[in-house]
């Protein structure tokens, strides 16, 4: 049955306010939460970028939600540091933390001054990092020489259950490749045909675990306001790779997105004043095979969205969830009686 979570966007909201927002989301009835891990926002209009790992400790300690984070070991973060941080959270909050290690984006990684590698190199570097992190989570002494270097690293406080490593993917090829190492798959809303292809590529190649979808959406009581919010806050996020991978700063993203219009934004964000329409879109994603949906309202004021969706959208999704459960039970009984 689908889990409906809240996406905490560090690029758009200050850490203190975002902590209040996720606490609000839990009180309103959201099931879980996830967050981004940036040092640079996508746009100067977003204007924030708190440190996700500090924030996660506070969020886990002040809610009972499960949390995930999309992060990038290998350049800005040494994999031993990510292994250490994630082991500590998983140890303090058993069963409540997962992370999605990806190959990174230049906007966050360029701060080290190191060259930005091509995608294939970044992918191989990620796979090395995943192996290093898993070994450290098992309590091993790790020395590794490759695209990353690790010398005699050990984590002394390893969790009883290591945090799941969920693969973030935008392309079918990345989803297919991740099937060999990942504990699950996470992506963002795209056309249904593309999402089906990604899920098939992951599952058909042995991919295990949950399928997670982060859904970018914009809602307001008036359609024109919902569209204006999306255009203001998320027009820098409408470009296909490699643009989002390779541009280095928020200023560059603002520069290339100056001519982006509403139609292009609607291709990346589900924009509607109708809560029923949003519920229908979300139910469609669940029907594709996604186990968890994390709702990212792309505006900066989260409270009206949280309250409206908790009142009108979550009950519809849970109604369909109950209906599906009832149907499954009826089918099981019929088979038992046959």
């Amino acid at each position: 049955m689908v889990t409906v979570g809240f996406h905490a966007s560090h690029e758009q909201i200050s850490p203190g306010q975002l902590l209040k927002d996720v606490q609000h989301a839990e009180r309103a009835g959201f099931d879980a939460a996830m967050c981004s891990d940036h040092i640079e926002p996508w746009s100067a209009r977003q204007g924030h970028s708190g440190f996700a790992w500090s924030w996660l400790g506070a969020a886990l300690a002040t809610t009972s939600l499960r949390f995930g984070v999309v992060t990038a070991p290998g350049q800005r973060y040494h994999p031993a540091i990510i292994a250490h941080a994630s082991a500590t959270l998983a140890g303090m909050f058993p069963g409540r933390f997962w992370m999605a290690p990806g190959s990174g984006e230049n906007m966050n990684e360029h701060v080290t001054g190191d060259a930005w590698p091509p995608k294939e190199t970044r992918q191989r570097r990620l796979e090395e990092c995943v192996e290093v992190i898993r070994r450290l989570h098992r309590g091993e002494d790790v020395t590794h020489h490759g695209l990353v270097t690790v010398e005699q690293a050990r984590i002394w406080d390893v969790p009883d259950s290591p945090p799941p490593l969920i693969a973030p993917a935008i392309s079918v090829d990345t989803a297919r490749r991740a099937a060999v190492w990942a504990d699950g798959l996470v992506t963002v809303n795209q056309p249904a045909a593309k999402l089906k292809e990604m899920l098939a590529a992951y599952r058909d190649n042995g991919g295990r675990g949950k399928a997670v979808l982060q859904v970018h959406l914009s809602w307001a009581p008036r359609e024109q306001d919902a569209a204006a919010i999306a255009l203001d806050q998320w027009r820098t996020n409408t470009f296909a790779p490699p643009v989002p991978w390779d541009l280095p700063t928020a200023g560059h993203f603002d520069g290339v997105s100056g001519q982006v219009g509403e139609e292009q934004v609607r291709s990346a964000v589900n924009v509607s004043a109708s809560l029923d329409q949003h519920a229908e879109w979300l139910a469609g994603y669940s029907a594709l095979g996604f186990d968890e949906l994390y709702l990212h309202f792309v505006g900066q004021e989260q409270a009206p969205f949280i309250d409206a969706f908790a009142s009108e959208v979550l009950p519809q999704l849970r109604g369909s969830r109950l209906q599906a459960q009832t149907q499954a039970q009826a089918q099981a009984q019929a088979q038992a009686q046959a």
Side-chain angles (χ1 to χ4, degrees):
M1 300 298 110
V2 68
T3 292
V4 184
F6 172 80
H7 176 72
S9 180
H10 283 287
E11 307 94 297
Q12 297 178 273
I13 302 165
S14 68
Q17 181 59 51
L18 198 56
L19 185 60
K20 294 175 183 176
D21 289 337
V22 77
Q23 293 164 350
H24 182 176
E26 180 184 34
R27 292 193 302 271
F30 283 77
D31 301 317
M34 67 175 288
C35 72
S36 49
D37 177 10
H38 277 231
I39 197 168
E40 181 94 1
W42 297 100
S43 167
R45 292 183 307 280
Q46 295 175 349
H48 298 281
S49 209
F51 186 50
W53 294 92
S54 301
W55 184 87
L56 280 162
L60 282 156
T62 59
T63 72
S64 61
L65 299 175
R66 286 187 301 107
F67 279 82
V69 60
V70 182
T71 189
Q75 188 160 328
R76 181 169 49 124
Y77 295 130
H78 191 279
I81 300 302
I82 290 295
H84 195 188
S86 56
T88 296
L89 289 178
M92 289 194 297
F93 306 103
R96 291 180 53 206
F97 175 71
W98 56 270
M99 68 174 179
S103 59
E105 294 148 342
N106 192 27
M107 66 187 302
N108 300 308
E109 311 308 319
H110 75 271
V111 296
T112 66
D114 296 331
W116 181 235
K119 173 64 174 174
E120 174 60 24
T121 303
R122 301 197 309 270
Q123 196 65 39
R124 287 190 287 111
R125 181 174 68 184
L126 167 64
E127 289 159 3
E128 289 186 20
C129 288
V130 167
E131 179 58 25
V132 166
I133 290 167
R134 288 200 187 279
R135 291 179 64 193
L136 289 168
H137 282 171
R138 292 194 293 265
E140 296 181 22
D141 286 295
V142 177
T143 294
H144 174 89
H145 292 233
L147 291 170
V148 293
T149 299
V150 184
E151 290 288 349
Q152 297 180 306
R154 177 182 173 186
I155 293 174
W156 288 81
D157 287 290
V158 295
D160 293 334
S161 296
L165 305 186
I166 310 298
I170 298 297
S171 71
V172 173
D173 287 343
T174 300
R176 181 182 297 111
R177 185 164 178 167
V180 301
W181 64 261
D183 298 318
L185 182 74
V186 58
T187 187
V188 298
N189 55 291
Q190 301 181 70
K194 173 75 173 296
L195 292 174
K196 288 176 67 175
E197 190 178 2
M198 290 183 67
L199 287 173
Y202 182 70
R203 298 296 188 200
D204 292 349
N205 285 277
R208 62 187 184 276
K210 61 188 177 183
V212 177
L213 187 69
Q214 179 186 339
V215 182
H216 304 306
L217 64 92
S218 188
W219 169 84
R222 299 192 309 163
E223 185 78 16
Q224 58 267 44
D225 293 335
I229 289 168
L231 186 62
D232 177 70
Q233 283 291 296
W234 215 245
R235 67 172 178 259
T236 49
N237 297 70
T238 58
F239 301 100
V243 172
W245 298 338
D246 292 346
L247 293 184
T249 68
H252 288 83
F253 278 92
D254 281 331
V256 301
S257 63
Q259 301 304 313
V260 170
E262 181 179 325
E263 183 177 354
Q264 188 171 342
V265 169
R266 285 178 179 269
S267 71
V269 180
N270 290 347
V271 179
S272 180
S274 168
L275 293 168
D276 289 340
Q277 175 63 78
H278 283 288
E280 182 179 334
W281 280 327
L282 294 169
Y285 296 135
S286 175
L288 289 176
F290 286 97
D291 306 295
E292 301 191 2
L293 307 176
Y294 288 85
L295 311 191
H296 173 208
F297 170 58
V298 299
Q300 293 181 296
E301 187 179 354
Q302 297 289 305
F305 149 73
I306 291 170
D307 290 336
F309 274 62
S311 174
E312 302 294 335
V313 176
L314 268 60
Q316 292 189 54
L317 294 173
R318 287 167 181 153
S320 63
R321 186 161 54 181
L322 179 61
Q323 183 180 14
Q325 185 177 21
T326 302
Q327 290 173 345
Q329 290 171 344
Q331 290 173 355
Q333 290 174 353
Q335 290 174 354
Q337 295 169 358

